[in-house]
Amino acid sequence: MEEFKLVPEESIFFNLTPEEISLYFFLLGLAVSETLTIDELNVLANGLFEWAQVMFVIASQRTLLSDAIQAQKEAAKTKEDKTSVEDFASEIKQLREQCKHLQEQIDQLNKQILKL
């Protein structure tokens, strides 16, 4: 699956506040509607509405896919972390057994030294 960028590097929308962008679209709507008939306004408004609906569907699907990819990465990381912990526990157990064996050897050597 392709990962979609949630934040672009550059965008004209980063330079505008929510109020400014609202005002921009408001003025654009007024300017365009000045020269159009009622029927033309209806066609344009319906076309823009359809355009917006398509963009909403695309944006929501991209979000869904990005969230799924992120969840897969987190699950893989969790599994990797769990495996690492299990590996460390196994190594610790082996080291404890080696220490126990070495201590037994030390004890045997001490007994031999004491006999001399």
Side-chain angles (χ1 to χ4, degrees):
M1 278 193 280
E2 179 183 343
E3 190 167 352
F4 297 99
K5 292 195 303 188
L6 297 178
V7 180
E9 284 82 25
E10 293 184 27
S11 174
I12 60 168
F13 298 110
F14 286 156
N15 298 325
L16 300 171
T17 65
E19 293 78 12
E20 290 171 337
I21 195 76
S22 296
L23 182 61
Y24 172 75
F25 283 114
F26 173 77
L27 293 174
L28 184 63
L30 287 178
V32 169
S33 67
E34 290 282 322
T35 59
L36 299 177
T37 66
I38 293 174
D39 290 335
E40 290 172 328
L41 283 171
N42 280 326
V43 169
L44 180 62
N46 283 316
L48 291 174
F49 182 72
E50 181 65 28
W51 188 31
Q53 289 295 94
V54 168
M55 289 190 297
F56 281 134
V57 169
I58 290 169
S60 64
Q61 183 65 11
R62 285 183 179 178
T63 300
L64 176 105
L65 293 174
S66 291
D67 290 349
I69 290 167
Q70 186 64 28
Q72 284 177 345
K73 286 181 179 178
E74 288 174 7
K77 175 106 173 82
T78 301
K79 184 177 179 181
E80 183 181 306
D81 290 347
K82 184 178 178 183
T83 302
S84 295
V85 168
E86 290 171 354
D87 290 344
F88 286 137
S90 175
E91 286 184 40
I92 289 170
K93 184 178 178 181
Q94 288 175 357
L95 289 171
R96 283 183 178 161
E97 288 177 14
Q98 287 177 355
C99 286
K100 182 180 175 183
H101 181 68
L102 289 171
Q103 186 62 48
E104 288 172 358
Q105 288 178 343
I106 290 170
D107 290 343
Q108 287 176 358
L109 289 172
N110 280 337
K111 285 180 184 178
Q112 289 177 358
I113 292 173
L114 289 174
K115 286 181 183 180
L116 294 175

